[in-house]
Amino acid sequence: MERKFMYYGGILSPIFFVLVDIIGGMITPDYSRIINAVSELTQAGSENIYLLSSLFFISAVMGIGFGIGIVTEFSYSRSKLIFSGGILIIINGIFSGLTGTIFPMDPFNVDITFAGTMHIILTALNALMIMLLIPMMGIGFYRERQWVSFRLYSIITLLIIVIFGGSTPVLMMNDIGLLGLFERIVIYSYLLWFFVLAFKLIRDHPAMEMQ
């Protein structure tokens, strides 16, 4: 029962993230979800940084709880891929919490700070971990639960992330004002995948407990 409760973190974490995006976009002056990055909502010096950082932190904690639920349900000996994916979800949650609070993004056109440098590093590491954990979980749960559709869904999600995430440098170099849109396609694709995984685990939890 405790593990199933932790799986609800995978439902709530994306919801709180979306709340940050919606509320932040509404209360931040001259903010555009098409042009501006999500991290700009809590960049250093933002007037709403404390409110939005708090919501980011809640989202991160929920994600960490979800990862803990996975690694306690699926031991390394039971499924190396699922266990390792759960560890990456925990680390992802920790890094997300740090980038949304202690290490905010530096505003553009200012001297970069230590916190801003850490924000870039942790964000890049998070992107790499996401691209690893999605196929790991897709394959792992296909072997464990025969989730054929989830494996295919994981592959599609990964392709979306690679295509739109890989296009971001092109947008920045050519000053194309679609950074916010492309970033949100990447983030929301992952959040939806996160949500679907949690939903399937909650739905199948009674059957897993009997194994």
Side-chain angles (χ1 to χ4, degrees):
M1 184 64 182
E2 291 180 0
R3 292 168 183 165
K4 185 175 181 179
F5 177 76
M6 288 182 179
Y7 289 153
Y8 280 101
I11 300 289
L12 295 174
S13 178
I15 291 175
F16 272 94
F17 192 99
V18 172
L19 282 176
V20 175
D21 197 21
I22 293 174
I23 296 173
M26 292 173 61
I27 65 178
T28 302
D30 302 319
Y31 185 86
S32 169
R33 295 186 184 87
I34 302 297
I35 299 173
N36 301 110
V38 175
S39 294
E40 291 182 58
L41 293 171
T42 54
Q43 67 184 7
S46 171
E47 60 185 79
N48 303 306
I49 189 170
Y50 295 111
L51 169 63
L52 300 179
S53 292
S54 298
L55 293 175
F56 266 133
F57 181 75
I58 294 172
S59 174
V61 170
M62 295 292 183
I64 292 170
F66 180 49
I68 293 173
I70 290 175
V71 299
T72 54
E73 183 87 51
F74 299 90
S75 64
Y76 185 78
S77 59
R78 177 177 174 180
S79 174
K80 296 179 178 62
L81 288 173
I82 297 176
F83 179 86
S84 300
I87 293 294
L88 289 179
I89 288 177
I90 294 172
I91 298 173
N92 174 268
I94 294 171
F95 284 4
S96 295
L98 291 174
T99 55
T101 55
I102 299 175
F103 301 124
M105 172 183 173
D106 286 324
F108 293 113
N109 302 319
V110 300
D111 292 335
I112 192 166
T113 64
F114 172 75
T117 301
M118 290 300 299
H119 181 92
I120 294 172
I121 293 172
L122 295 179
T123 299
L125 290 174
N126 255 352
L128 291 174
M129 285 190 292
I130 288 170
M131 288 189 288
L132 282 174
L133 74 89
I134 288 177
M136 287 170 63
M137 290 292 203
I139 296 171
F141 277 107
Y142 170 72
R143 294 176 178 175
E144 175 77 18
R145 306 292 305 159
Q146 291 295 303
W147 287 0
V148 179
S149 59
F150 184 73
R151 181 180 61 173
L152 176 60
Y153 173 56
S154 297
I155 293 172
I156 294 172
T157 300
L158 181 62
L159 288 175
I160 292 173
I161 290 173
V162 170
I163 292 171
F164 285 91
S167 301
T168 299
V170 178
L171 298 178
M172 298 179 69
M173 288 186 294
N174 293 278
D175 197 26
I176 300 174
L178 296 174
L179 175 62
L181 175 62
F182 275 45
E183 183 189 45
R184 280 170 174 79
I185 291 174
V186 171
I187 293 174
Y188 277 52
S189 295
Y190 166 64
L191 291 178
L192 182 59
W193 178 89
F194 206 79
F195 187 97
V196 170
L197 174 59
F199 177 81
K200 290 178 71 66
L201 286 171
I202 293 169
R203 183 193 64 185
D204 288 5
H205 192 262
M208 289 188 294
E209 283 189 324
M210 291 187 293
Q211 290 186 343

